[in-house]
Amino acid sequence: MKIRSRKRLPHDVPLWVDPSRACYFITICCARREINQLAHQQVAGDLFETIKHRNVQGIWYARLVLLMPDHVHLMLSFPGTQKRIQTIVSKWKEWTAKSLHINWHRDFFEHRLRKEESLREKADYILANPVRAGLVERTEDWPYVFIAKPW
């Protein structure tokens, strides 16, 4: 039986979009689903440090990051960069894979938030993920969250 290979996702930004002004909802999955690689205190702390470092360096601006056991949700913008979003995210995945031994899936999902989409609505959706998965009863009980200050 032949297993179908998954097509690579395009991450090209349309010419009419200014990536430095757009906000993206990005999901990155671990290669093996249903195995907890991310929702551990040490791993989460290390991942959040890499995210904060990239915020400070101006590589990206992470507003919200939520770690699930086998994937991560990020709300990112890329102010003042000329690099492709795919390159920036891929370099982060490469660095965290090597230094933190995270086995990421080869690609990622991104969705550029449109004008009619509210950042708050998307943030609420992300924050409710552990509740929908049955991991906690209330969103505020999930410890693996990074929220940038100021929001």
Side-chain angles (χ1 to χ4, degrees):
M1 176 196 310
K2 185 177 179 180
I3 298 174
R4 288 181 19 199
S5 64
R6 186 174 172 191
K7 292 195 308 186
R8 291 201 175 263
L9 298 173
H11 298 290
D12 297 326
V13 177
L15 295 175
W16 65 87
V17 174
D18 179 356
S20 68
R21 295 180 176 261
C23 186
Y24 292 84
F25 168 50
I26 295 177
T27 301
I28 305 171
C29 296
C30 294
R32 295 192 58 207
R33 300 297 304 261
E34 301 183 16
I35 293 176
N36 183 6
Q37 288 192 64
L38 307 177
H40 300 285
Q41 188 173 8
Q42 183 65 49
V43 173
D46 292 344
L47 279 172
F48 292 150
E49 284 304 313
T50 70
I51 290 161
K52 291 176 198 174
H53 173 77
R54 281 161 177 75
N55 274 5
V56 169
Q57 295 296 313
I59 296 167
W60 67 27
Y61 181 68
R63 295 173 183 267
L64 170 66
V65 179
L66 182 130
L67 303 177
M68 293 292 286
D70 60 1
H71 65 282
V72 59
H73 295 293
L74 306 102
M75 284 183 69
L76 299 175
S77 56
F78 302 88
T81 186
Q82 298 301 316
K83 293 182 181 177
R84 294 177 59 220
I85 292 167
Q86 180 176 6
T87 301
I88 294 169
V89 174
S90 294
K91 289 293 185 188
W92 179 74
K93 284 175 57 182
E94 180 183 341
W95 193 90
T96 57
K98 287 178 182 175
S99 62
L100 303 178
H101 309 289
I102 297 171
N103 187 14
W104 296 114
H105 188 271
R106 73 170 184 214
D107 215 343
F108 62 93
F109 169 82
E110 50 71 24
H111 170 75
R112 180 175 44 85
L113 298 181
R114 308 314 198 262
K115 288 182 182 177
E116 65 274 5
E117 293 177 291
S118 159
L119 291 177
R120 186 71 238 175
E121 288 173 9
K122 189 56 77 175
D124 288 343
Y125 172 82
I126 292 169
L127 292 169
N129 202 330
V131 175
R132 285 191 304 276
L135 299 171
V136 292
E137 298 221 356
R138 301 174 314 142
T139 59
E140 53 271 13
D141 294 336
W142 188 247
Y144 306 111
V145 179
F146 167 78
I147 300 173
K149 294 182 179 29
W151 165 255

